[in-house]
Amino acid sequence: MSLLKAILMGLIQGLTEFLPVSSSGHLALFKNMFGLQEAGLLFDVILHLGTLLAVFVVYYKDIWKMIVAGVGIVVDACRNIGIFFSNHFGKKEEKKAYLQVINSGYRKFAMLVIVSTIPTGIIGVLDKDLVEMGSEILLIPGICLIATAILLTIADRCQGGEKLPHQVTYSNAFIIGIAQGIATLPGLSRSGTTITACLLSGFQKKFAVKYSFIMSIPAILGSLVFELADIDTAAVTTTEIGYYLVGMLVAAFVGYVCIKVMLYIVKEKKFTGFAIYCAVVGALSVGVYFYQL
């Protein structure tokens, strides 16, 4: 792989991971167009780390507060277990009151992300073979891109709501997690699908974007852990590793810019152009598939 190709793939990953046009579909398309099949799984993993880095840079304050909140949840849950045993098996004295574990917005935010991750993980494991098969057939990405266009059209017409972590229910989080799991299908935009689900659930618009991108962190990290087992690093040269890292940095920078763009798009309801683009590319993919039969 050349440095130019690594930069190009980093640019594509950064643009398509956060803009609602499906990164998996575009990466597969450009790999075939430019003969980049030799990049392999390791490069895909490094590119995804780049876009994760962009999420961490944009939302580092929220992520740090959620980590602290998560530790607090574990500590208070353990203390409640201790109180339970003390109340039931200790000396006969006045019962101790249990601690309220979810006692802040960030603790609720952390729990919502955990709830969303559960169905995403289950669907990701169950439909792994379907996703791999769909990536090799133009028909499935084409249909999914048309579905993305429909979702973006819905998002443009959705008023959203005022829900912040305290008002969001765990059933809302579970449904959005299902949407994220389904969005593993090639051609179905993860950001477009989850942001639309958030808006339909009544999320405040800015929080819908934040939730969509932060909830992607455990899902992407989980998939990367599974992929690492299949990576063969022996065939990769030191020079290629350097190129891969450049591609990662390009993906991180472009991804950072695209997250900021998505905040504007959701606020101003500017999904129409992306919907038209996805519909056209999807229709062309379906047409080419049937033409080749």
Side-chain angles (χ1 to χ4, degrees):
M1 168 176 287
S2 68
L3 178 60
L4 180 61
K5 287 180 178 180
I7 292 173
L8 176 62
M9 294 299 289
L11 178 64
I12 295 167
Q13 172 68 17
L15 283 171
T16 58
E17 179 68 29
F18 300 117
L19 295 181
V21 293
S22 177
S23 62
S24 58
H26 282 76
L27 281 175
L29 174 64
F30 277 84
K31 279 184 179 181
N32 284 290
M33 287 177 60
F34 295 100
L36 299 180
Q37 288 85 352
E38 77 277 6
L41 191 58
L42 177 61
F43 190 41
D44 286 347
V45 169
I46 291 176
L47 287 180
H48 278 92
L49 288 177
T51 46
L52 274 182
L53 179 61
V55 177
F56 276 100
V57 170
V58 175
Y59 294 114
Y60 72 93
K61 291 182 180 178
D62 293 290
I63 293 170
W64 173 249
K65 290 178 180 178
M66 289 176 68
I67 292 172
V68 172
V71 172
I73 289 172
V74 173
V75 170
D76 284 352
C78 291
R79 291 173 67 185
N80 277 342
I81 292 173
I83 292 172
F84 171 83
F85 282 103
S86 176
N87 286 344
H88 288 79
F89 305 106
K91 296 180 180 179
K92 300 293 184 180
E93 57 185 28
E94 185 178 349
K95 302 291 187 181
K96 294 180 181 179
Y98 289 103
L99 300 172
Q100 182 180 353
V101 177
I102 309 301
N103 56 15
S104 70
Y106 278 101
R107 287 195 178 192
K108 179 69 177 294
F109 195 171
M111 285 302 301
L112 290 170
V113 170
I114 291 171
V115 170
S116 291
T117 301
I118 294 170
T120 296
I122 293 172
I123 295 172
V125 171
L126 293 178
D127 72 351
K128 181 180 179 181
D129 293 337
L130 177 61
V131 170
E132 291 178 355
M133 180 188 70
S135 300
E136 300 172 359
I137 303 173
L138 276 176
L139 180 62
I140 293 179
I143 293 173
C144 288
L145 280 167
I146 293 171
T148 295
I150 295 171
L151 288 172
L152 296 178
T153 302
I154 294 172
D156 250 352
R157 286 157 177 73
C158 184
Q159 295 300 318
E162 299 299 326
K163 284 185 179 180
L164 292 172
H166 280 304
Q167 293 81 40
V168 176
T169 65
Y170 292 116
S171 59
N172 290 150
F174 194 83
I175 291 170
I176 294 166
I178 293 174
Q180 180 171 244
I182 295 172
T184 56
L185 290 170
L188 198 57
S189 166
R190 194 208 65 82
S191 61
T193 301
T194 54
I195 289 174
T196 301
C198 286
L199 293 175
L200 290 173
S201 297
F203 282 38
Q204 189 251 12
K205 290 181 179 179
K206 187 175 181 180
F207 181 60
V209 177
K210 180 188 295 186
Y211 191 81
S212 171
F213 292 145
I214 290 180
M215 74 179 284
S216 73
I217 294 174
I220 294 175
L221 285 177
S223 66
L224 293 184
V225 168
F226 281 107
E227 290 174 353
L228 286 174
D230 299 323
I231 290 176
D232 178 17
T233 58
V236 183
T237 66
T238 303
T239 301
E240 286 178 324
I241 289 293
Y243 293 165
Y244 289 2
L245 293 176
V246 171
M248 181 189 76
L249 292 176
V250 171
F253 175 76
V254 175
Y256 174 87
V257 174
C258 289
I259 291 174
K260 296 293 187 180
V261 171
M262 279 299 293
L263 288 168
Y264 169 78
I265 290 172
V266 174
K267 180 181 178 182
E268 301 297 328
K269 297 185 178 181
K270 300 290 185 180
F271 282 114
T272 303
F274 294 105
I276 294 172
Y277 171 80
C278 289
V280 170
V281 175
L284 286 173
S285 298
V286 173
V288 170
Y289 171 80
F290 284 108
Y291 176 78
Q292 293 176 340
L293 290 179

PDB file of all heavy atoms in Angstrom, residues 112 172 201 261:
ATOM      1  N   LEU A 112     -27.492   4.175  30.371  1.00  0.00           N
ATOM      2  CA  LEU A 112     -28.214   4.145  29.101  1.00  0.00           C
ATOM      3  C   LEU A 112     -27.337   3.555  27.998  1.00  0.00           C
ATOM      4  O   LEU A 112     -27.802   2.746  27.177  1.00  0.00           O
ATOM      5  CB  LEU A 112     -28.657   5.558  28.717  1.00  0.00           C
ATOM      6  CG  LEU A 112     -29.768   6.184  29.568  1.00  0.00           C
ATOM      7  CD1 LEU A 112     -29.939   7.661  29.231  1.00  0.00           C
ATOM      8  CD2 LEU A 112     -31.090   5.448  29.377  1.00  0.00           C
ATOM      9  N   ASN A 172     -36.134   3.303  25.810  1.00  0.00           N
ATOM     10  CA  ASN A 172     -35.618   4.117  24.709  1.00  0.00           C
ATOM     11  C   ASN A 172     -34.213   3.670  24.323  1.00  0.00           C
ATOM     12  O   ASN A 172     -33.900   3.470  23.144  1.00  0.00           O
ATOM     13  CB  ASN A 172     -35.544   5.598  25.103  1.00  0.00           C
ATOM     14  CG  ASN A 172     -36.884   6.271  25.260  1.00  0.00           C
ATOM     15  OD1 ASN A 172     -37.030   7.205  26.059  1.00  0.00           O
ATOM     16  ND2 ASN A 172     -37.887   5.822  24.527  1.00  0.00           N
ATOM     17  N   SER A 201     -37.382   9.091  19.461  1.00  0.00           N
ATOM     18  CA  SER A 201     -37.586   8.799  20.891  1.00  0.00           C
ATOM     19  C   SER A 201     -37.722  10.069  21.720  1.00  0.00           C
ATOM     20  O   SER A 201     -37.895   9.992  22.937  1.00  0.00           O
ATOM     21  CB  SER A 201     -36.416   7.952  21.429  1.00  0.00           C
ATOM     22  OG  SER A 201     -36.354   6.704  20.772  1.00  0.00           O
ATOM     23  N   VAL A 261     -19.863  18.880  11.884  1.00  0.00           N
ATOM     24  CA  VAL A 261     -20.817  19.094  10.790  1.00  0.00           C
ATOM     25  C   VAL A 261     -22.157  18.438  11.123  1.00  0.00           C
ATOM     26  O   VAL A 261     -23.224  19.011  10.869  1.00  0.00           O
ATOM     27  CB  VAL A 261     -20.250  18.535   9.473  1.00  0.00           C
ATOM     28  CG1 VAL A 261     -21.324  18.538   8.374  1.00  0.00           C
ATOM     29  CG2 VAL A 261     -19.054  19.352   9.014  1.00  0.00           C
TER      30      VAL A 261
END
